[in-house]
mmCIF file of all heavy atoms in Angstrom:
data_model
loop_
_atom_site.group_PDB
_atom_site.id
_atom_site.type_symbol
_atom_site.label_atom_id
_atom_site.label_comp_id
_atom_site.label_asym_id
_atom_site.label_seq_id
_atom_site.Cartn_x
_atom_site.Cartn_y
_atom_site.Cartn_z
ATOM 1 N N ALA X 1 -53.184 -37.004 -84.957
ATOM 2 C CA ALA X 1 -52.248 -38.112 -85.110
ATOM 3 C C ALA X 1 -52.943 -39.449 -84.737
ATOM 4 O O ALA X 1 -52.666 -40.484 -85.435
ATOM 5 C CB ALA X 1 -50.989 -37.921 -84.277
ATOM 6 N N LEU X 2 -53.782 -39.471 -83.727
ATOM 7 C CA LEU X 2 -54.492 -40.715 -83.393
ATOM 8 C C LEU X 2 -55.455 -41.106 -84.492
ATOM 9 O O LEU X 2 -55.487 -42.279 -84.881
ATOM 10 C CB LEU X 2 -55.269 -40.473 -82.105
ATOM 11 C CG LEU X 2 -54.489 -40.560 -80.799
ATOM 12 C CD1 LEU X 2 -55.444 -40.301 -79.629
ATOM 13 C CD2 LEU X 2 -53.843 -41.904 -80.619
ATOM 14 N N LEU X 3 -56.168 -40.119 -85.072
ATOM 15 C CA LEU X 3 -57.099 -40.442 -86.130
ATOM 16 C C LEU X 3 -56.306 -40.901 -87.396
ATOM 17 O O LEU X 3 -56.658 -41.970 -88.024
ATOM 18 C CB LEU X 3 -57.967 -39.275 -86.452
ATOM 19 C CG LEU X 3 -58.915 -39.467 -87.628
ATOM 20 C CD1 LEU X 3 -59.913 -40.623 -87.400
ATOM 21 C CD2 LEU X 3 -59.716 -38.168 -87.898
ATOM 22 N N ALA X 4 -55.243 -40.216 -87.716
ATOM 23 C CA ALA X 4 -54.438 -40.620 -88.863
ATOM 24 C C ALA X 4 -53.891 -42.048 -88.700
ATOM 25 O O ALA X 4 -53.856 -42.834 -89.658
ATOM 26 C CB ALA X 4 -53.319 -39.631 -89.071
ATOM 27 N N GLY X 5 -53.324 -42.347 -87.520
ATOM 28 C CA GLY X 5 -52.780 -43.636 -87.297
ATOM 29 C C GLY X 5 -53.813 -44.744 -87.434
ATOM 30 O O GLY X 5 -53.539 -45.831 -88.009
ATOM 31 N N LEU X 6 -55.013 -44.501 -86.942
ATOM 32 C CA LEU X 6 -56.121 -45.496 -87.045
ATOM 33 C C LEU X 6 -56.438 -45.682 -88.531
ATOM 34 O O LEU X 6 -56.560 -46.867 -88.970
ATOM 35 C CB LEU X 6 -57.297 -45.005 -86.288
ATOM 36 C CG LEU X 6 -58.606 -45.841 -86.482
ATOM 37 C CD1 LEU X 6 -58.419 -47.253 -85.999
ATOM 38 C CD2 LEU X 6 -59.775 -45.180 -85.770
ATOM 39 N N LEU X 7 -56.623 -44.612 -89.266
ATOM 40 C CA LEU X 7 -56.978 -44.722 -90.684
ATOM 41 C C LEU X 7 -55.950 -45.442 -91.521
ATOM 42 O O LEU X 7 -56.254 -46.267 -92.347
ATOM 43 C CB LEU X 7 -57.245 -43.350 -91.259
ATOM 44 C CG LEU X 7 -58.451 -42.583 -90.692
ATOM 45 C CD1 LEU X 7 -58.496 -41.149 -91.269
ATOM 46 C CD2 LEU X 7 -59.740 -43.317 -90.985
ATOM 47 N N VAL X 8 -54.625 -45.138 -91.245
ATOM 48 C CA VAL X 8 -53.562 -45.807 -92.000
ATOM 49 C C VAL X 8 -53.537 -47.333 -91.663
ATOM 50 O O VAL X 8 -53.430 -48.143 -92.560
ATOM 51 C CB VAL X 8 -52.186 -45.152 -91.643
ATOM 52 C CG1 VAL X 8 -51.064 -45.971 -92.242
ATOM 53 C CG2 VAL X 8 -52.144 -43.688 -92.194
ATOM 54 N N GLN X 9 -53.624 -47.639 -90.405
ATOM 55 C CA GLN X 9 -53.603 -49.042 -90.046
ATOM 56 C C GLN X 9 -54.813 -49.821 -90.562
ATOM 57 O O GLN X 9 -54.747 -50.915 -91.080
ATOM 58 C CB GLN X 9 -53.529 -49.208 -88.548
ATOM 59 C CG GLN X 9 -53.462 -50.723 -88.066
ATOM 60 C CD GLN X 9 -53.178 -50.820 -86.600
ATOM 61 O OE1 GLN X 9 -52.832 -49.858 -85.927
ATOM 62 N NE2 GLN X 9 -53.281 -51.982 -86.079
ATOM 63 N N LEU X 10 -55.935 -49.146 -90.417
ATOM 64 C CA LEU X 10 -57.201 -49.825 -90.895
ATOM 65 C C LEU X 10 -57.193 -50.081 -92.415
ATOM 66 O O LEU X 10 -57.591 -51.204 -92.837
ATOM 67 C CB LEU X 10 -58.396 -48.890 -90.571
ATOM 68 C CG LEU X 10 -59.795 -49.330 -91.069
ATOM 69 C CD1 LEU X 10 -60.170 -50.658 -90.462
ATOM 70 C CD2 LEU X 10 -60.820 -48.193 -90.766
ATOM 71 N N THR X 11 -56.748 -49.111 -93.169
ATOM 72 C CA THR X 11 -56.830 -49.246 -94.661
ATOM 73 C C THR X 11 -55.649 -50.029 -95.222
ATOM 74 O O THR X 11 -55.718 -50.510 -96.357
ATOM 75 C CB THR X 11 -56.855 -47.910 -95.327
ATOM 76 O OG1 THR X 11 -55.746 -47.073 -94.927
ATOM 77 C CG2 THR X 11 -58.118 -47.152 -94.921
ATOM 78 N N SER X 12 -54.575 -50.238 -94.417
ATOM 79 C CA SER X 12 -53.399 -50.987 -94.937
ATOM 80 C C SER X 12 -53.747 -52.436 -95.129
ATOM 81 O O SER X 12 -53.218 -53.099 -96.036
ATOM 82 C CB SER X 12 -52.204 -50.796 -94.040
ATOM 83 O OG SER X 12 -52.486 -51.321 -92.763
ATOM 84 N N ASP X 13 -54.565 -52.978 -94.251
ATOM 85 C CA ASP X 13 -54.942 -54.414 -94.361
ATOM 86 C C ASP X 13 -56.269 -54.665 -93.642
ATOM 87 O O ASP X 13 -56.314 -54.640 -92.417
ATOM 88 C CB ASP X 13 -53.853 -55.266 -93.766
ATOM 89 C CG ASP X 13 -54.138 -56.816 -93.905
ATOM 90 O OD1 ASP X 13 -55.090 -57.131 -94.605
ATOM 91 O OD2 ASP X 13 -53.477 -57.598 -93.170
ATOM 92 N N THR X 14 -57.337 -54.915 -94.395
ATOM 93 C CA THR X 14 -58.622 -55.168 -93.774
ATOM 94 C C THR X 14 -58.904 -56.631 -93.615
ATOM 95 O O THR X 14 -59.988 -57.054 -93.084
ATOM 96 C CB THR X 14 -59.751 -54.551 -94.591
ATOM 97 O OG1 THR X 14 -59.745 -55.129 -95.921
ATOM 98 C CG2 THR X 14 -59.598 -53.038 -94.780
ATOM 99 N N SER X 15 -57.992 -57.502 -94.014
ATOM 100 C CA SER X 15 -58.237 -58.950 -94.069
ATOM 101 C C SER X 15 -58.390 -59.547 -92.666
ATOM 102 O O SER X 15 -58.974 -60.590 -92.449
ATOM 103 C CB SER X 15 -57.132 -59.703 -94.775
ATOM 104 O OG SER X 15 -55.891 -59.561 -94.137
ATOM 105 N N SER X 16 -57.832 -58.906 -91.655
ATOM 106 C CA SER X 16 -57.815 -59.405 -90.294
ATOM 107 C C SER X 16 -59.113 -59.081 -89.551
ATOM 108 O O SER X 16 -59.331 -59.586 -88.409
ATOM 109 C CB SER X 16 -56.616 -58.952 -89.505
ATOM 110 O OG SER X 16 -56.593 -57.553 -89.388
ATOM 111 N N TYR X 17 -59.939 -58.276 -90.158
ATOM 112 C CA TYR X 17 -61.241 -57.896 -89.500
ATOM 113 C C TYR X 17 -62.372 -58.739 -90.037
ATOM 114 O O TYR X 17 -62.300 -59.186 -91.219
ATOM 115 C CB TYR X 17 -61.489 -56.395 -89.725
ATOM 116 C CG TYR X 17 -60.482 -55.513 -89.159
ATOM 117 C CD1 TYR X 17 -59.547 -54.878 -90.026
ATOM 118 C CD2 TYR X 17 -60.383 -55.282 -87.796
ATOM 119 C CE1 TYR X 17 -58.574 -54.072 -89.524
ATOM 120 C CE2 TYR X 17 -59.371 -54.450 -87.314
ATOM 121 C CZ TYR X 17 -58.479 -53.837 -88.189
ATOM 122 O OH TYR X 17 -57.513 -53.004 -87.706
ATOM 123 N N ARG X 18 -63.374 -58.898 -89.264
ATOM 124 C CA ARG X 18 -64.621 -59.613 -89.731
ATOM 125 C C ARG X 18 -65.666 -58.592 -90.106
ATOM 126 O O ARG X 18 -65.659 -57.434 -89.680
ATOM 127 C CB ARG X 18 -65.117 -60.536 -88.593
ATOM 128 C CG ARG X 18 -64.155 -61.622 -88.167
ATOM 129 C CD ARG X 18 -64.611 -62.319 -86.903
ATOM 130 N NE ARG X 18 -64.759 -61.323 -85.776
ATOM 131 C CZ ARG X 18 -65.260 -61.653 -84.604
ATOM 132 N NH1 ARG X 18 -65.762 -62.808 -84.394
ATOM 133 N NH2 ARG X 18 -65.322 -60.700 -83.626
ATOM 134 N N ALA X 19 -66.626 -59.051 -90.872
ATOM 135 C CA ALA X 19 -67.692 -58.140 -91.254
ATOM 136 C C ALA X 19 -68.438 -57.559 -90.028
ATOM 137 O O ALA X 19 -68.919 -56.449 -90.020
ATOM 138 C CB ALA X 19 -68.724 -58.915 -92.184
ATOM 139 N N ALA X 20 -68.552 -58.418 -88.995
ATOM 140 C CA ALA X 20 -69.201 -57.981 -87.776
ATOM 141 C C ALA X 20 -68.445 -56.862 -87.101
ATOM 142 O O ALA X 20 -69.054 -56.128 -86.223
ATOM 143 C CB ALA X 20 -69.344 -59.132 -86.828
ATOM 144 N N ASP X 21 -67.169 -56.656 -87.417
ATOM 145 C CA ASP X 21 -66.403 -55.583 -86.784
ATOM 146 C C ASP X 21 -66.730 -54.189 -87.425
ATOM 147 O O ASP X 21 -66.309 -53.180 -86.795
ATOM 148 C CB ASP X 21 -64.914 -55.840 -86.972
ATOM 149 C CG ASP X 21 -64.429 -57.054 -86.193
ATOM 150 O OD1 ASP X 21 -64.964 -57.340 -85.170
ATOM 151 O OD2 ASP X 21 -63.485 -57.756 -86.715
ATOM 152 N N ALA X 22 -67.403 -54.163 -88.566
ATOM 153 C CA ALA X 22 -67.588 -52.913 -89.258
ATOM 154 C C ALA X 22 -68.211 -51.782 -88.416
ATOM 155 O O ALA X 22 -67.777 -50.668 -88.293
ATOM 156 C CB ALA X 22 -68.355 -53.122 -90.568
ATOM 157 N N GLU X 23 -69.321 -52.171 -87.740
ATOM 158 C CA GLU X 23 -70.041 -51.160 -86.951
ATOM 159 C C GLU X 23 -69.206 -50.625 -85.800
ATOM 160 O O GLU X 23 -69.158 -49.447 -85.524
ATOM 161 C CB GLU X 23 -71.365 -51.782 -86.381
ATOM 162 C CG GLU X 23 -72.427 -52.123 -87.393
ATOM 163 C CD GLU X 23 -73.232 -50.924 -87.837
ATOM 164 O OE1 GLU X 23 -73.040 -49.816 -87.263
ATOM 165 O OE2 GLU X 23 -73.998 -51.077 -88.857
ATOM 166 N N ARG X 24 -68.476 -51.612 -85.139
ATOM 167 C CA ARG X 24 -67.644 -51.150 -84.032
ATOM 168 C C ARG X 24 -66.518 -50.261 -84.540
ATOM 169 O O ARG X 24 -66.184 -49.226 -83.844
ATOM 170 C CB ARG X 24 -67.102 -52.387 -83.294
ATOM 171 C CG ARG X 24 -68.116 -53.158 -82.586
ATOM 172 C CD ARG X 24 -67.425 -54.283 -81.800
ATOM 173 N NE ARG X 24 -66.999 -55.362 -82.577
ATOM 174 C CZ ARG X 24 -67.688 -56.450 -82.875
ATOM 175 N NH1 ARG X 24 -68.964 -56.536 -82.442
ATOM 176 N NH2 ARG X 24 -67.230 -57.408 -83.654
ATOM 177 N N LEU X 25 -65.929 -50.570 -85.669
ATOM 178 C CA LEU X 25 -64.835 -49.694 -86.228
ATOM 179 C C LEU X 25 -65.411 -48.369 -86.548
ATOM 180 O O LEU X 25 -64.772 -47.324 -86.403
ATOM 181 C CB LEU X 25 -64.195 -50.400 -87.387
ATOM 182 C CG LEU X 25 -63.281 -51.601 -87.092
ATOM 183 C CD1 LEU X 25 -62.982 -52.368 -88.323
ATOM 184 C CD2 LEU X 25 -62.050 -51.125 -86.411
ATOM 185 N N GLY X 26 -66.601 -48.343 -87.094
ATOM 186 C CA GLY X 26 -67.272 -47.078 -87.463
ATOM 187 C C GLY X 26 -67.427 -46.215 -86.227
ATOM 188 O O GLY X 26 -67.246 -44.970 -86.247
ATOM 189 N N THR X 27 -67.767 -46.832 -85.100
ATOM 190 C CA THR X 27 -67.944 -46.103 -83.856
ATOM 191 C C THR X 27 -66.640 -45.501 -83.390
ATOM 192 O O THR X 27 -66.604 -44.332 -82.929
ATOM 193 C CB THR X 27 -68.553 -47.031 -82.767
ATOM 194 O OG1 THR X 27 -69.846 -47.494 -83.132
ATOM 195 C CG2 THR X 27 -68.646 -46.263 -81.437
ATOM 196 N N VAL X 28 -65.564 -46.258 -83.495
ATOM 197 C CA VAL X 28 -64.228 -45.814 -83.095
ATOM 198 C C VAL X 28 -63.849 -44.639 -83.959
ATOM 199 O O VAL X 28 -63.380 -43.632 -83.503
ATOM 200 C CB VAL X 28 -63.178 -46.920 -83.164
ATOM 201 C CG1 VAL X 28 -61.843 -46.359 -82.896
ATOM 202 C CG2 VAL X 28 -63.512 -47.969 -82.134
ATOM 203 N N VAL X 29 -64.023 -44.762 -85.310
ATOM 204 C CA VAL X 29 -63.666 -43.638 -86.222
ATOM 205 C C VAL X 29 -64.505 -42.444 -85.862
ATOM 206 O O VAL X 29 -64.011 -41.287 -85.801
ATOM 207 C CB VAL X 29 -63.916 -44.016 -87.663
ATOM 208 C CG1 VAL X 29 -63.689 -42.833 -88.585
ATOM 209 C CG2 VAL X 29 -62.885 -45.144 -88.034
ATOM 210 N N GLY X 30 -65.823 -42.605 -85.626
ATOM 211 C CA GLY X 30 -66.702 -41.508 -85.285
ATOM 212 C C GLY X 30 -66.271 -40.812 -83.992
ATOM 213 O O GLY X 30 -66.265 -39.591 -83.872
ATOM 214 N N ASP X 31 -65.896 -41.574 -83.023
ATOM 215 C CA ASP X 31 -65.435 -41.011 -81.733
ATOM 216 C C ASP X 31 -64.134 -40.180 -81.948
ATOM 217 O O ASP X 31 -64.044 -39.060 -81.364
ATOM 218 C CB ASP X 31 -65.157 -42.128 -80.695
ATOM 219 C CG ASP X 31 -66.356 -42.707 -80.101
ATOM 220 O OD1 ASP X 31 -67.474 -42.030 -80.190
ATOM 221 O OD2 ASP X 31 -66.352 -43.775 -79.571
ATOM 222 N N LEU X 32 -63.210 -40.669 -82.789
ATOM 223 C CA LEU X 32 -62.020 -39.896 -82.961
ATOM 224 C C LEU X 32 -62.266 -38.663 -83.798
ATOM 225 O O LEU X 32 -61.653 -37.608 -83.561
ATOM 226 C CB LEU X 32 -60.972 -40.806 -83.624
ATOM 227 C CG LEU X 32 -60.068 -41.580 -82.692
ATOM 228 C CD1 LEU X 32 -59.052 -42.436 -83.480
ATOM 229 C CD2 LEU X 32 -59.434 -40.661 -81.658
ATOM 230 N N VAL X 33 -63.134 -38.755 -84.782
ATOM 231 C CA VAL X 33 -63.554 -37.567 -85.518
ATOM 232 C C VAL X 33 -64.127 -36.484 -84.593
ATOM 233 O O VAL X 33 -63.832 -35.323 -84.656
ATOM 234 C CB VAL X 33 -64.495 -37.889 -86.680
ATOM 235 C CG1 VAL X 33 -65.103 -36.584 -87.288
ATOM 236 C CG2 VAL X 33 -63.824 -38.726 -87.757
ATOM 237 N N THR X 34 -64.981 -36.949 -83.719
ATOM 238 C CA THR X 34 -65.593 -36.045 -82.732
ATOM 239 C C THR X 34 -64.538 -35.416 -81.877
ATOM 240 O O THR X 34 -64.524 -34.164 -81.636
ATOM 241 C CB THR X 34 -66.630 -36.810 -81.805
ATOM 242 O OG1 THR X 34 -67.688 -37.303 -82.606
ATOM 243 C CG2 THR X 34 -67.162 -35.943 -80.758
ATOM 244 N N ALA X 35 -63.593 -36.232 -81.428
ATOM 245 C CA ALA X 35 -62.467 -35.715 -80.610
ATOM 246 C C ALA X 35 -61.614 -34.692 -81.344
ATOM 247 O O ALA X 35 -61.197 -33.654 -80.794
ATOM 248 C CB ALA X 35 -61.582 -36.792 -80.082
ATOM 249 N N VAL X 36 -61.383 -34.927 -82.605
ATOM 250 C CA VAL X 36 -60.569 -34.041 -83.447
ATOM 251 C C VAL X 36 -61.365 -32.728 -83.646
ATOM 252 O O VAL X 36 -60.761 -31.617 -83.452
ATOM 253 C CB VAL X 36 -60.339 -34.664 -84.873
ATOM 254 C CG1 VAL X 36 -59.829 -33.611 -85.872
ATOM 255 C CG2 VAL X 36 -59.281 -35.787 -84.707
#
């Protein structure tokens, strides 16, 4: 549910993120996939 919530929120609107956030977001997604 945590991973699903993150993916839904992330993909619903990417306009509020900066290009520099991409790596950090990838790390968060990777951590949650690992936890799953």
Side-chain angles (χ1 to χ4, degrees):
L2 281 179
L3 178 58
L6 171 63
L7 293 175
V8 170
Q9 182 172 349
L10 173 63
T11 58
S12 64
D13 181 14
T14 60
S15 63
S16 58
Y17 300 104
R18 299 170 299 173
D21 294 327
E23 293 279 353
R24 290 188 286 270
L25 288 167
T27 298
V28 174
V29 173
D31 284 341
L32 272 181
V33 170
T34 295
V36 166

